[in-house]
Amino acid sequence: MYHSLLMFFVWMIVGYFSCFPCMAQTIRYASTQTIPFDWQDLRHDTIYFQDSLTGIALYQVRNFMDIPIYYARDILTEVCFDSICRPLRGTIYWNITGRYLGFALPDGEYLSRYDHEAFEEPDYTQLNSLLADPYLPFYGITFQALIQPTEIEDHTSVDGISGATSTAISSYVVHGAAYTTYTMWNIVYGPMRSYIEEITTDQLTSKLLTKILQSDSDADKIWGLKKIEPNAILDIQIERVLLDLVENGDFSVAHTTLKMISPRHLSSETLQVGLLHTYNTVEYNLRKPILQKFMEAAALSPLVIEGTSKLLSSMNGVQLGYLLALYEKHKIYSLEILATVAELLQQGNRFKAEKAHKYLSSARIDSGQIKEVLKAYETSK
Amino acid sequence: MMNKIERRRVLKSLGAISIGAAAGSLTNSAELEVVYNVDKPKLQTDVLVVGGGTAGVIAAIQAGRMGTNTILVENGSQLGGTTTTGGVSFPGIFHAWGKQIIGGIGWELVMECVTLNDGKLPNFSIIPNNTSVRHWRHQVAVNGPLYALLAEEKCMEAGVDIRYYETPMEVSYNNGQWTVQTIGKGVQAEIKCKQIIDCTGNAFVTSLAGFSVLREADTQPGSLIFRIGGYDFEDLDLAEIPKRFHGVLRQNMINNLKLKTPQGPFPPSVPYGYVYVPGADSTTSMTHTKANLEGRENLLELLRTLRTFPGCEKIRILDIQTETAVRETFRIEGEYQVTHEDYVQGKVFQDAVSHSFYPIDLHRNGKSIYQEFLKPGVVASIPLRALIPKNSKNLLVAGRCISSDRLANSALRVQASCMGMGQAAGAAAVLAHQRNVTPIDVPVAEVQALIEEYGGIVPR
């Protein structure tokens, strides 16, 4: 859950970035690990970007299995708006999907307010939280524009759509350090972030993608889902993870997962059968998207036909309509299904009966008994 | 005395002769007709839903899908109410704290509308924090006219008999049956039914039936919604424009502005502007006419003023809703009144039939809004008793006029909540009809189970 990202803690010296060599760091703030990697024997020897003037580089840190774990980049920037303050040296960390992970300052370095008062621990914690929020209103706007009162005040809210910033800029910055917050946030969410995403995308393997889809972060999961190739044959591990996301993800994750499953993917019978299984376990609002997903399959698995036919009698009229439309699309007209559907004509629910009638009308019916039921229904209308 | 048919025949022949004599063959087909002949149908149904707005559509579809004979009376020309005619085409809120809290027929309609319009859903995984991510980010932008089409299609598919341009004028209850006299264009219908669901938003049927309704001395303003074009907000020198106009200029261009994020997880917001209409009331033709006239007058004044500002000289109207949308008029006095405290504490009633999630949101004096956000994890619930006018029989209410105090009402009046109530009222009315009892006597567990069977989400 994204919410958990906002729950940060101080992570001092040891562990998380312990192999990072740039500087001896004493102040570190980081979010919790979300992608289940093996963190043994990390190495950081990959430099993707070297600024020729400043020597600032982007490092990709990999584990002993050569799997990318996180990225780090040193920063060197002015942190006071009036340029009176000293430059800031530090390091910013991203996970492999480009999500902010944390920041660190070298030995002797510290952050301060405009009046040079050094940050206290709560200030660092707040800064860390703010940097983890990709939705601060800092994107694509200059600092000068940001601090204009008319730009940050709420524009008289109305139901639904209202101003983004009814609270003033103070809600989004560490007190007395607006420019520092703004500057660091823009480094985190600037071009480097897109660059990181591109690098990881280029290095994606089925195994790495599986790991990303298993992240505790919904943002990571959705990032990974959007990397699934519609024309690829999914390996069994990814299929399992996808089914798990449909079954156990929140609505947006489950819905995105279903959207990313392509007709090509549905050529896998295990995936089709797995989806049928999830139909029986997911919340109501995902059942229709699952049935609609089957519409995209070139052919329905016999197991899916058999499994869904058992649901016919217990479905409400809306679900029945979707399932019968699916049968119509795939020309599923077994005698057993026709007979079950014909029974629905006599159940007394006009809405369901109309769905059944529409389906039966699309079939070539040889059974005299079913023909009689159909005729009786049509006569009674 | 000449009867009506004979008289008509004579008039027709006279018309044919006189027009034929005066003009050429092209006009010979014209005939004089009796132009106003009031039809007086007598109709019988199981469930009558009055008001085809946000709640009424859902109530009618729910009842119809259960195979119940259902009539839907709507005094306008299309379904959807606030979402369509009112122009508030971004219903919500369906999700809270990472979970879906309102589903069922309302959600089905919204999803189909999004899909058929190639729209985009918000990322509901991102939890609003009321600072960088405001609650309204979870509202779902829909194409209003398309929503009206789909609502109508679903009603028809469910066998609902839609009667546009009609409004009740008299309601009486005798021997377990309601008789509702309606009037419309050339129609004066008598509808007999077992159950009524009042979805007028103004407790109009409840009032006609003689049950108590409440009204604040000072109600929230309505809004006339419009879109303007002919200017570029980014190029405006805001220092040259009085601050009170910045909002409307920005809101109208909202999808082009700084609400974009590096990840873009939210769909563009709906650009629109609005003018407040103090005291707007849609209860009667007269009050609604007044609200519309005032709204349009305010808008014209705004337009003329905006065009005096630098960069705004070419501002023009692109679109105006045909009606002023209304926030608050009457509320019923129900078997239970949902209180502010119930709402903000997220009380889960034993007879809860729907969730509701929105900040307390009271528009005051047309100038400020009192907002109170629900604490993390809190989701309010709506008890069935709040949908039942006190001491009534066979009468339910759904929508913004349910029994609630003013502050609770300012939150539960929003569209997703009304959809949830509509589905609950539809289910309760059908069960009451099937058991030949009044809704308060239907075992609430059965109502809850039925709501869930049809995809609604019951607070537990």
Side-chain angles (χ1 to χ4, degrees):
Chain A
M1 186 182 292
Y2 178 75
H3 189 66
S4 66
L5 276 177
L6 299 175
M7 302 171 68
F8 289 91
F9 58 94
V10 182
W11 199 333
M12 300 302 290
I13 303 289
V14 292
Y16 201 63
F17 305 125
S18 58
C19 77
F20 198 67
C22 313
M23 47 192 83
Q25 290 143 343
T26 59
I27 297 174
R28 295 170 189 273
Y29 287 78
S31 56
T32 50
Q33 177 190 348
T34 55
I35 301 175
F37 288 127
D38 191 332
W39 284 64
Q40 289 178 29
D41 300 328
L42 300 185
R43 58 188 172 79
H44 60 277
D45 54 357
T46 310
I47 300 171
Y48 278 91
F49 175 80
Q50 185 85 40
D51 186 317
S52 58
L53 287 177
T54 62
I56 291 175
L58 174 72
Y59 296 85
Q60 185 189 59
V61 178
R62 308 169 76 88
N63 72 2
F64 69 103
M65 295 174 74
D66 212 30
I67 292 174
I69 306 291
Y70 66 87
Y71 293 84
R73 182 186 180 232
D74 292 343
I75 54 171
L76 179 64
T77 183
E78 290 288 328
V79 289
C80 291
F81 183 45
D82 57 9
S83 294
I84 293 172
C85 297
R86 63 196 160 61
L88 168 73
R89 290 185 305 136
T91 308
I92 288 177
Y93 301 89
W94 294 264
N95 86 340
I96 57 171
T97 67
R99 201 160 46 73
Y100 168 77
L101 270 186
F103 70 89
L105 303 178
D107 191 20
E109 183 63 277
Y110 63 96
L111 292 173
S112 58
R113 304 180 201 283
Y114 65 91
D115 56 3
H116 299 264
E117 181 190 343
F119 270 28
E120 300 288 337
E121 194 278 331
D123 301 321
Y124 285 113
T125 303
Q126 187 191 7
L127 178 64
N128 192 37
S129 293
L130 290 166
L131 295 179
D133 186 346
Y135 310 110
L136 298 188
F138 295 165
Y139 187 68
I141 181 171
T142 64
F143 186 70
Q144 286 84 350
L146 184 71
I147 59 175
Q148 292 294 319
T150 53
E151 291 295 325
I152 59 170
E153 287 184 359
D154 193 3
H155 33 93
T156 316
S157 298
V158 69
D159 308 359
I161 302 296
S162 57
T165 52
S166 67
T167 47
I169 191 172
S170 59
S171 303
Y172 306 125
V173 297
V174 176
H175 177 63
Y179 189 66
T180 302
T181 311
Y182 169 84
T183 303
M184 289 182 71
W185 190 92
N186 272 291
I187 293 171
V188 171
Y189 296 100
M192 195 53 59
R193 175 194 166 105
S194 306
Y195 187 52
I196 286 168
E197 290 186 59
E198 283 172 26
I199 295 168
T200 305
T201 302
D202 287 345
Q203 296 176 350
L204 270 182
T205 61
S206 184
K207 191 174 178 180
L208 181 56
L209 184 57
T210 304
K211 290 279 188 193
I212 292 169
L213 294 173
Q214 290 172 323
S215 169
D216 289 337
S217 156
D218 287 337
D220 287 342
K221 287 172 188 164
I222 288 175
W223 188 94
L225 285 167
K226 290 180 176 171
K227 301 297 176 190
I228 292 175
E229 285 290 332
N231 294 319
I233 299 288
L234 301 179
D235 72 28
I236 191 71
Q237 283 298 331
I238 289 194
E239 279 190 3
R240 281 182 192 147
V241 175
L242 293 182
L243 292 169
D244 180 60
L245 293 179
V246 173
E247 199 164 2
N248 300 312
D250 76 356
F251 177 84
S252 286
V253 170
H255 191 255
T256 306
T257 307
L258 285 168
K259 276 179 77 173
M260 300 315 297
I261 293 175
S262 70
R264 177 72 183 267
H265 302 154
L266 287 167
S267 62
S268 158
E269 184 166 48
T270 55
L271 185 60
Q272 282 202 23
V273 172
L275 274 179
L276 174 63
H277 173 76
T278 63
Y279 180 90
N280 294 311
T281 58
V282 295
E283 290 180 356
Y284 183 95
N285 293 328
L286 286 169
R287 291 183 182 169
K288 176 187 168 189
I290 290 175
L291 289 179
Q292 287 183 321
K293 187 50 65 177
F294 283 130
M295 289 282 236
E296 296 175 17
L300 274 188
S301 153
L303 294 171
V304 170
I305 296 168
E306 186 191 347
T308 51
S309 69
K310 289 175 183 164
L311 302 170
L312 279 168
S313 305
S314 60
M315 285 176 148
N316 70 32
V318 185
Q319 295 168 324
L320 178 71
Y322 294 136
L323 181 55
L324 295 180
L326 178 67
Y327 286 169
E328 231 179 296
K329 160 89 177 5
H330 289 287
K331 301 191 174 9
I332 310 296
Y333 295 111
S334 73
L335 183 59
E336 190 183 356
I337 288 175
L338 288 170
T340 306
V341 175
E343 283 175 21
L344 299 174
L345 293 174
Q346 302 166 309
Q347 273 195 352
N349 182 320
R350 186 180 52 197
F351 182 64
K352 285 175 88 165
E354 276 300 299
K355 301 288 183 190
H357 180 250
K358 180 176 181 299
Y359 169 72
L360 291 171
S361 301
S362 72
R364 200 189 76 184
I365 297 171
D366 297 324
S367 159
Q369 199 176 350
I370 296 173
K371 277 182 182 171
E372 271 182 35
V373 174
L374 190 55
K375 189 175 176 186
Y377 175 78
E378 286 169 347
T379 308
S380 71
K381 279 176 71 176
Chain B
M1 190 175 178
M2 189 183 289
N3 69 30
K4 191 179 286 180
I5 295 173
E6 285 173 337
R7 185 170 173 271
R8 186 183 297 175
R9 194 184 306 131
V10 171
L11 283 170
K12 278 184 181 176
S13 64
L14 282 173
I17 291 164
S18 59
I19 294 171
S25 59
L26 285 177
T27 58
N28 279 350
S29 60
E31 294 179 346
L32 284 178
E33 287 282 358
V34 176
V35 293
Y36 193 77
N37 183 23
V38 176
D39 284 332
K40 294 185 176 177
K42 291 182 184 298
L43 309 166
Q44 180 83 42
T45 191
D46 301 328
V47 174
L48 169 65
V49 180
V50 183
T54 311
V57 163
I58 309 300
I61 294 171
Q62 173 67 50
R65 284 180 178 177
M66 292 172 70
T68 308
N69 291 317
T70 306
I71 290 177
L72 172 59
V73 168
E74 161 58 38
N75 63 21
S77 59
Q78 66 175 2
L79 301 180
T82 310
T83 310
T84 56
T85 311
V88 188
S89 54
F90 28 86
I93 293 175
F94 297 92
H95 293 75
W97 314 119
K99 275 188 168 288
Q100 183 147 13
I101 46 111
I102 292 173
I105 297 167
W107 181 247
E108 173 193 330
L109 250 172
V110 166
M111 283 295 287
E112 274 190 40
C113 205
V114 169
T115 304
L116 201 53
N117 203 47
D118 292 326
K120 194 177 167 192
L121 288 174
N123 184 342
F124 300 113
S125 301
I126 299 165
I127 312 294
N129 54 18
N130 293 322
T131 54
S132 59
V133 182
R134 299 286 297 277
H135 62 279
W136 53 263
R137 282 295 195 177
H138 276 192
Q139 296 187 209
V140 184
V142 297
N143 178 319
L146 177 60
Y147 186 92
L149 295 180
L150 289 171
E152 190 172 272
E153 180 186 59
K154 286 189 183 296
C155 281
M156 301 292 284
E157 187 189 40
V160 175
D161 177 5
I162 301 172
R163 299 184 68 81
Y164 285 131
Y165 301 116
E166 280 187 37
T167 187
M169 52 183 292
E170 201 176 310
V171 178
S172 59
Y173 184 73
N174 284 303
N175 299 322
Q177 180 167 259
W178 288 103
T179 302
V180 178
Q181 304 289 342
T182 70
I183 191 160
K185 290 185 183 181
V187 174
Q188 198 173 320
E190 178 184 281
I191 304 173
K192 288 185 181 296
C193 63
K194 289 290 175 60
Q195 303 285 336
I196 298 181
I197 308 176
D198 179 354
C199 297
T200 58
N202 305 313
F204 188 56
V205 176
T206 306
S207 181
L208 281 179
F211 298 101
S212 300
V213 294
L214 312 169
R215 183 187 171 101
E216 300 292 331
D218 175 31
T219 56
Q220 296 182 77
S223 290
L224 179 63
I225 291 174
F226 61 90
R227 285 192 309 122
I228 48 180
Y231 71 105
D232 186 340
F233 184 79
E234 301 282 4
D235 288 346
L236 295 180
D237 182 358
L238 291 175
E240 296 295 314
I241 299 173
K243 195 173 163 185
R244 65 195 169 97
F245 296 103
H246 294 184
V248 72
L249 291 165
R250 182 188 292 110
Q251 189 99 350
N252 186 66
M253 306 289 280
I254 202 162
N255 61 340
N256 296 326
L257 293 179
K258 300 165 190 70
L259 298 174
K260 56 197 173 189
T261 69
Q263 290 175 310
F266 297 108
S269 302
V270 180
Y272 81 114
Y274 64 93
V275 285
Y276 272 142
V277 182
D281 182 347
S282 54
T283 309
T284 70
S285 302
M286 287 170 66
T287 59
H288 210 168
T289 298
K290 181 171 180 284
N292 291 338
L293 292 177
E294 286 180 14
R296 291 166 193 155
E297 187 183 349
N298 293 347
L299 177 54
L300 266 175
E301 186 184 335
L302 174 68
L303 176 68
R304 290 188 174 115
T305 306
L306 289 176
R307 285 170 66 99
T308 65
F309 301 136
C312 300
E313 296 85 353
K314 297 294 181 187
I315 279 184
R316 63 185 186 277
I317 297 286
L318 299 180
D319 197 15
I320 309 174
Q321 295 305 126
T322 54
E323 289 184 3
T324 293
V326 171
R327 289 188 176 82
E328 180 186 3
T329 57
F330 296 92
R331 308 191 296 274
I332 65 163
E333 183 186 14
E335 293 289 349
Y336 182 85
Q337 185 184 64
V338 182
T339 66
H340 172 231
E341 194 178 347
D342 293 334
Y343 200 90
V344 297
Q345 291 185 352
K347 181 172 181 178
V348 178
F349 298 94
Q350 175 268 333
D351 63 334
V353 287
S354 178
H355 284 293
S356 175
F357 184 73
Y358 205 74
I360 301 295
D361 189 77
L362 193 72
H363 293 239
R364 295 178 296 190
N365 310 320
K367 290 176 182 166
S368 64
I369 303 174
Y370 172 72
Q371 284 194 326
E372 194 178 331
F373 297 99
L374 299 186
K375 293 197 172 86
V378 169
V379 182
S381 76
I382 306 292
L384 182 61
R385 286 166 295 152
L387 275 54
I388 300 174
K390 202 168 190 175
N391 301 321
S392 70
K393 298 277 186 197
N394 297 8
L395 176 59
L396 286 151
V397 173
R400 66 172 182 237
C401 56
I402 68 159
S403 184
S404 46
D405 71 20
R406 193 183 192 200
L407 286 176
N409 190 263
S410 74
L412 58 78
R413 67 188 168 86
V414 300
Q415 289 144 310
S417 304
C418 291
M419 290 172 178
M421 295 176 213
Q423 184 152 6
V430 172
L431 286 175
H433 166 66
Q434 288 172 349
R435 285 157 181 70
N436 203 24
V437 296
T438 192
I440 197 90
D441 293 333
V442 177
V444 72
E446 290 184 31
V447 179
Q448 291 168 329
L450 188 61
I451 293 167
E452 287 179 330
E453 185 188 334
Y454 281 80
I457 298 171
V458 173
R460 301 283 188 189

